[in-house]
Amino acid sequence: MKVLILGASGLVGGNCLHHFMEQGAECLGTHFSFATDETVYFNTLALDDPQNGEVIAFNPDVIVHCGALTWVDYCEENPEESYEKTVQSTKNAVDLAESLQAKLVYLSTDYVFDGKRGFYVETDEVNPLSIYGNHKLEAEQIVQRFEDHLICRITNVYGNEVRGKNFIARLVSNMRKGDAMDLKLPIDQYATPVNAYDVARAIYLLLTDGHTGIFHFAGTDYLNRVQLAERIIRYFGHEQVRLSAVTTDELNPPATRPLNGGMSAAKFNALYPHFKWSNVDDYLKQLNELS
Ligand SMILES: NC(=O)c1ccc[n+]([C@@H]2O[C@H](COP(=O)([O-])OP(=O)(O)OC[C@H]3O[C@@H](n4cnc5c(N)ncnc54)[C@H](OP(=O)(O)O)[C@@H]3O)[C@@H](O)[C@H]2O)c1
């Protein structure tokens, strides 16, 4: 299998690149602004960018599109840029997949839901509350018009990544440095954090077996942000870390959040009953052993 991974300098794309190569797939991963030793430049915003040539010549069987602007509050305040980087970039990825007759994998989010229910299944009604959620949904709908696709919805992703910029990685890194920290976190935003490595493993299985359609992925935790930080503090905390629980209303972020978010991976689990989803403790134990 030849796989092109758009956005392999990021969290999910980087894990896909490593795992797929370990499995024997021929892979090409791309970056945009953050060059790495393992990736080549590709701009999803302008397919005719002369520097895109090498990637198009790779002629993949599968394109995994991880390129996006994932900063939810920034998207709320910059809707045109959000549209460009999520909807337009996905239209371009679909055009590329069509022209190369490749399958397209798109990564989406529980922000397509309104957070009234939690543990969302693939058939639940969507109702995004934010610009980011609306644009991710619009991108999903564009992908769905292309027959050979997989849409994998995920939330609160953590794991190993070259820039260590996800929530868990940042907190662990700051606590390891012994930095004083005053954390004010929402106690009413629940989700199912998932390790990017599990996301990569799950996508690889679905690709190998030729599945199409929407799949929800989830780790085995259901946690709010305060509980998530408490887990990290249990392993890496020190006396200078102070944690206060606030409500989302008190924080008043620019973008409205789905409060009872999170996914049920039941559809995936029915296909792969022996697949082991890991949890935040597994990851923190692993990091702790390395320190
Ligand atoms: N992280 C989460 O908690 C989460 C939750 C739900 C859904 N998702 C979805 O999962 C996908 C991957 O997220 P992630 O957390 O891995 O994001 P990430 O770490 O921020 O990575 C995003 C990737 O997109 C690339 N990119 C950005 N603009 C690009 C452009 N114009 N052309 C080509 N590549 C471009 C970035 O490249 P450079 O960095 O090199 O510029 C980076 O490699 C996204 O679609 C996101 O919406 C993530």
Side-chain angles (χ1 to χ4, degrees):
M1 180 160 54
K2 278 178 95 173
V3 189
L4 170 63
I5 299 159
L6 303 176
S9 52
L11 174 58
V12 176
N15 277 273
C16 287
L17 180 64
H18 295 150
H19 179 64
F20 293 8
M21 288 198 325
E22 274 164 24
Q23 297 304 304
E26 192 183 339
C27 295
L28 183 65
T30 76
H31 62 259
F32 183 56
S33 62
F34 186 84
T36 79
D37 293 344
E38 302 173 314
T39 51
V40 298
Y41 174 89
F42 187 78
N43 182 4
T44 53
L45 301 182
L47 287 186
D48 58 356
D49 185 326
Q51 291 185 71
N52 282 352
E54 181 185 346
V55 170
I56 292 165
F58 178 65
N59 198 23
D61 312 308
V62 178
I63 299 174
V64 182
H65 177 37
C66 299
L69 182 59
T70 57
W71 187 3
V72 176
D73 288 327
Y74 182 86
C75 290
E76 199 68 22
E77 291 173 332
N78 299 274
E80 282 170 19
E81 188 178 341
S82 169
Y83 182 87
E84 188 70 9
K85 293 191 171 163
T86 291
V87 182
Q88 188 58 49
S89 95
T90 303
K91 271 188 189 151
N92 293 346
V94 169
D95 287 349
L96 188 63
E98 236 162 12
S99 70
L100 297 173
Q101 292 182 305
K103 184 179 191 116
L104 183 68
V105 182
Y106 182 61
L107 275 304
S108 192
T109 168
D110 62 345
Y111 277 52
V112 298
F113 299 110
D114 57 18
K116 290 189 179 148
R117 180 191 185 281
F119 286 118
Y120 285 98
V121 296
E122 291 78 357
T123 47
D124 278 328
E125 200 179 317
V126 290
N127 184 26
L129 305 175
S130 61
I131 297 283
Y132 172 76
N134 271 291
H135 287 165
K136 292 298 284 185
L137 180 60
E138 202 174 329
E140 279 190 7
Q141 288 161 348
I142 292 165
V143 171
Q144 279 172 311
R145 293 203 286 269
F146 177 64
E147 199 180 329
D148 197 6
H149 72 267
L150 264 178
I151 293 174
C152 304
R153 293 195 184 125
I154 51 180
T155 180
N156 272 215
V157 188
Y158 60 90
N160 296 333
E161 64 171 325
V162 61
R163 274 170 282 184
K165 59 182 171 31
N166 62 85
F167 180 76
I168 293 185
R170 274 187 292 122
L171 287 195
V172 169
S173 156
N174 291 339
M175 286 184 205
R176 274 178 165 162
K177 282 190 249 157
D179 289 354
M181 296 173 80
D182 205 351
L183 298 168
K184 257 198 197 128
L185 294 171
I187 194 156
D188 53 356
Q189 286 178 32
Y190 284 83
T192 46
V194 66
N195 192 317
Y197 176 63
D198 289 346
V199 173
R201 290 167 55 231
I203 293 176
Y204 195 79
L205 281 174
L206 291 172
L207 285 175
T208 310
D209 295 338
H211 290 287
T212 56
I214 303 184
F215 285 86
H216 286 185
F217 298 161
T220 58
D221 297 296
Y222 190 60
L223 298 172
N224 64 49
R225 285 277 161 165
V226 173
Q227 292 169 322
L228 188 50
E230 280 170 349
R231 294 270 170 106
I232 303 164
I233 290 168
R234 204 181 295 160
Y235 288 87
F236 299 98
H238 51 80
E239 63 284 355
Q240 290 198 75
V241 178
R242 279 179 306 277
L243 173 63
S244 11
V246 289
T247 64
T248 301
D249 273 353
E250 283 165 335
L251 283 175
N252 194 23
T256 308
R257 301 302 204 269
L259 296 184
N260 293 316
M263 308 297 195
S264 159
K267 178 180 170 187
F268 178 89
N269 293 343
L271 286 172
Y272 301 101
H274 299 293
F275 186 92
K276 183 181 176 298
W277 294 99
S278 59
N279 60 34
V280 172
D281 268 313
D282 295 330
Y283 183 61
L284 294 172
K285 267 184 221 151
Q286 205 186 80
L287 290 182
N288 203 23
E289 279 159 18
L290 294 175
S291 56

